[in-house]
Amino acid sequence: MLVKKHFRAVTALLCALSGTIASNFSTAAPANSTRASSSTTVTPVTSTATTDPTSLAGAVNTAGETIPENVTSSPPHTTMRSGNATIPVTSTANLPTAPATVSCAGIASANSGKQKLITSALNQLKAEGYTRQNCVLIEHKDYSDEGSDAGAVLSLLPENTTILLHGETDRDSIQLLTPINLKSGQHLIGLASKGKYVKLLAPKLFVGISMVQVGSRKFVKNEPLRNTSVIRGIDFAPAWDDSRDSVDPIIYAQCYNGELIVKDNHFTLDRRSAAFLGCYESNKNVALSDSVSLETGEEKSSMRGGPGLLFDSNIVNGLNAKRAEASYHPDEGVFIKTPLVTHLPKKYQPVVQNNQFIGIMKEAIELETGSDAFILSNAAKAASAGVLVEGGFLLKGNTSGNPPLYTLTDNVLETTSWGVKIEKNIHLSMSKNEITSNELFRQNEENSLVTVSEVSAGVSCAACNTWTPSASSDNVDACEGLNNIRGNIHFVNATCSTVIARNGSPATASNALHSVLTVLGLSFMARGF
């Protein structure tokens, strides 16, 4: 899907430009172009900002991250406008320039009326260990008109820069016409004088498949350690419009060596995920940096570098008001697909925690990782009467090698269909989840085995899960849908114990389906074959 969208975007760009550039931007765009009128002049959009060549080489922050030598910026882009359409073009004339960065130590005092807001944000980063030396303040009023493109300008900023996006209220927006390329160590922090978020808008003229991009399609040779990036306080708002390709996904992270933290943001979904971590390369040749802290029992010699993601305390809303009448449902809230990335230290293992998934989407979270991953304390619930998340957690493992361990703890799901769907082989730790759904489990019998990491239920069943059938459900058995499992999953009134698939699966016991329910202190066999 992503390749197809790249192709469509490139095709649209070539078509729109083919009739304009050759004649000094004065001829009409092709009649079938949805991004350009047929009789207007294209004029370059320029920026008056200046470039700051200040180097951060050799500095070390409180997280122990060394700022690399020879910091460089990404390739320059300009923006051209044809009628209502604005088109990014690589050029050497009329280039936008990066805004000047200043010392983070002095940026608060230099901005009257915003000192407290800026100081609070920088102190929070400092407390977390992610201090940067250079900052830049971006005002919404400078990038709010139809032709402005903050994406092209922000992508020119050097590595290890804290980017502060300011709006007076949470209704003020900063417009992107092209994606932001977030570099190593860059932070993207929203500051609203009144409200919690600053709105980042992708209007109908937006060109790209994602609003923020991190990493690259493949690991490079001797993949360097990427300093941690934090994205916080942003209201990501892609504008639904049938005349353009959708934003798919909002944050697109690929292959890199380091940590990305996405925390305390609001996402209104367009086509699919708020965040998609998609890296299809093996990380076997990605060395783990000596500066990465390891936990007890982890040996550096057996660990590898790779893409880390913490998706924490965000609101993901699948109900886009601009297409409330449309029948289309976004695919998922968060999607992590790194099947060949293995042996990550716990610091880099994917964690999705403390998030709210509301509105319409096909499932809240989808995982397909080679490393262990964690889904903790999330809530998927109704945004309004009758508007629900369809499915809960889709867990995909592998059919060869050591399956990943997925830990599901303290989640609250209210879905219209299923709670947990399982494909291929996984290890599963599941405790203290509260799920309301039509059916709890769906498991693909073909080449699928769940090996449960035991959680002691105890006398009080403090670690037990709870399942409540939805009003329309005909199911009374929490274990219905599990057909190939080793171990026990504990519920308040049920224990899903070893289940052997009927198709001659890798399990060793005879063919049977055991769903042991505990009712009034009595255990009995609910189903058997």
Side-chain angles (χ1 to χ4, degrees):
M1 180 181 295
L2 295 177
V3 173
K4 182 182 293 185
K5 290 178 64 57
H6 276 301
F7 177 78
R8 288 201 301 266
V10 172
T11 301
L13 176 62
L14 292 176
C15 290
L17 293 177
S18 61
T20 60
I21 295 177
S23 57
N24 296 319
F25 314 120
S26 62
T27 59
N32 62 350
S33 171
T34 63
R35 302 184 184 275
S37 67
S38 59
S39 59
T40 54
T41 301
V42 181
T43 57
V45 177
T46 61
S47 170
T48 58
T50 58
T51 303
D52 177 25
T54 303
S55 172
L56 306 180
V60 179
N61 67 10
T62 56
E65 302 169 330
T66 301
I67 299 174
E69 303 283 343
N70 302 322
V71 173
T72 59
S73 61
S74 60
H77 290 78
T78 189
T79 309
M80 292 183 176
R81 191 180 304 134
S82 176
N84 294 331
T86 305
I87 304 168
V89 183
T90 299
S91 175
T92 57
N94 300 311
L95 295 177
T97 54
T101 61
V102 299
S103 167
C104 291
I107 193 171
S109 59
N111 288 273
S112 177
K114 309 182 186 74
Q115 292 97 329
K116 185 175 181 181
L117 196 63
I118 294 172
T119 300
S120 176
L122 296 181
N123 284 345
Q124 186 174 6
L125 289 169
K126 181 178 180 180
E128 295 167 341
Y130 302 121
T131 300
R132 299 289 177 254
Q133 296 182 349
N134 278 17
C135 287
V136 63
L137 181 66
I138 302 296
E139 292 286 358
H140 77 93
K141 61 185 179 182
D142 297 327
Y143 297 95
S144 58
D145 69 277
E146 183 176 315
S148 61
D149 180 18
V153 174
L154 297 182
S155 293
L156 296 175
L157 288 166
E159 296 179 348
N160 301 293
T161 299
T162 295
I163 304 168
L164 303 172
L165 307 178
H166 178 256
E168 293 299 328
T169 73
D170 53 13
R171 294 184 299 275
D172 294 328
S173 62
I174 294 174
Q175 181 170 270
L176 304 180
L177 298 181
T178 53
I180 298 171
N181 176 28
L182 200 66
K183 300 185 183 74
S184 171
Q186 287 184 338
H187 302 320
L188 194 63
I189 310 295
L191 304 176
S193 294
K194 297 180 181 179
K196 187 174 182 180
Y197 308 107
V198 170
K199 183 175 292 185
L200 207 55
L201 177 67
K204 64 181 180 179
L205 300 178
F206 181 82
V207 178
I209 63 167
S210 60
M211 296 176 69
V212 178
Q213 298 176 350
V214 182
S216 56
R217 190 168 62 87
K218 294 185 177 183
F219 291 114
V220 300
K221 186 176 181 181
N222 300 320
E223 181 77 32
L225 176 67
R226 179 188 177 96
N227 288 340
T228 299
S229 289
V230 178
I231 300 174
R232 178 186 287 131
I234 310 293
D235 179 5
F236 290 92
W240 175 262
D241 189 271
D242 288 336
S243 68
R244 68 158 174 84
D245 290 336
S246 54
V247 175
D248 176 12
I250 294 175
I251 297 176
Y252 183 20
Q254 300 184 81
C255 299
Y256 54 92
N257 182 16
E259 186 180 24
L260 173 65
I261 298 174
V262 181
K263 187 172 183 178
D264 293 319
N265 302 283
H266 181 277
F267 296 86
T268 300
L269 297 183
D270 195 344
R271 181 172 181 82
R272 68 171 185 186
S273 7
F276 173 41
L277 173 54
C279 179
Y280 309 104
E281 286 258 302
S282 169
N283 64 333
K284 64 181 180 180
N285 295 320
V286 180
L288 185 67
S289 171
D290 290 331
S291 65
V292 176
S293 59
L294 299 178
E295 296 197 2
T296 302
E298 293 183 331
E299 296 182 6
K300 183 178 182 298
S301 59
S302 62
M303 296 288 106
R304 300 173 182 171
L309 174 65
L310 172 61
F311 192 85
D312 185 7
S313 302
N314 302 286
I315 298 175
V316 181
N317 192 347
L319 185 61
N320 191 325
K322 294 184 180 297
R323 58 167 164 89
E325 303 302 321
S327 60
Y328 181 80
H329 294 184
D331 287 347
E332 65 277 309
V334 175
F335 185 13
I336 300 175
K337 187 178 178 68
T338 54
L340 300 179
V341 175
T342 61
H343 298 87
L344 290 179
K346 192 167 184 178
K347 178 180 175 65
Y348 288 172
Q349 291 170 1
V351 178
V352 182
Q353 66 181 19
N354 303 316
N355 304 287
Q356 296 183 50
F357 298 89
I358 59 178
I360 299 173
M361 63 192 79
K362 293 179 181 176
E363 64 247 356
I365 301 170
E366 180 173 341
L367 296 182
E368 185 177 359
T369 70
S371 67
D372 297 346
F374 300 82
I375 300 177
L376 311 172
S377 302
N378 299 283
K381 59 182 182 180
S384 59
V387 182
L388 296 172
V389 177
E390 295 179 44
F393 306 142
L394 173 55
L395 310 177
K396 296 183 179 180
N398 57 37
T399 55
S400 62
N402 189 37
L405 170 62
Y406 294 146
T407 299
L408 279 57
T409 303
D410 282 319
N411 300 287
V412 179
L413 300 182
E414 181 184 355
T415 71
T416 58
S417 185
W418 46 269
V420 180
K421 185 186 292 186
I422 300 165
E423 298 181 10
K424 304 179 183 178
N425 301 331
I426 68 170
H427 293 299
L428 178 64
S429 176
M430 187 172 174
S431 62
K432 296 187 285 187
N433 300 285
E434 299 179 15
I435 302 174
T436 300
S437 60
N438 188 58
E439 54 185 314
L440 178 52
F441 291 108
R442 285 186 185 178
Q443 182 183 8
N444 182 359
E445 286 191 26
E446 298 296 327
N447 301 317
S448 178
L449 173 65
V450 178
T451 303
V452 181
S453 295
E454 285 289 344
V455 177
S456 177
V459 176
S460 64
C461 204
C464 285
N465 303 281
T466 301
W467 175 62
T468 303
S470 58
S472 60
S473 176
D474 294 328
N475 296 331
V476 295
D477 184 356
C479 310
E480 180 77 20
L482 285 174
N483 51 55
N484 198 10
I485 173 176
R486 289 178 178 151
N488 300 309
I489 303 176
H490 300 286
F491 289 82
V492 170
N493 62 347
T495 296
C496 302
S497 61
T498 298
V499 177
I500 309 304
R502 287 167 281 178
N503 64 350
S505 71
T508 58
S510 60
N511 288 348
L513 176 59
H514 298 275
S515 178
V516 182
L517 304 182
T518 304
V519 180
L520 299 176
L522 301 175
S523 296
F524 62 94
M525 184 70 69
R527 288 187 62 181
F529 295 91

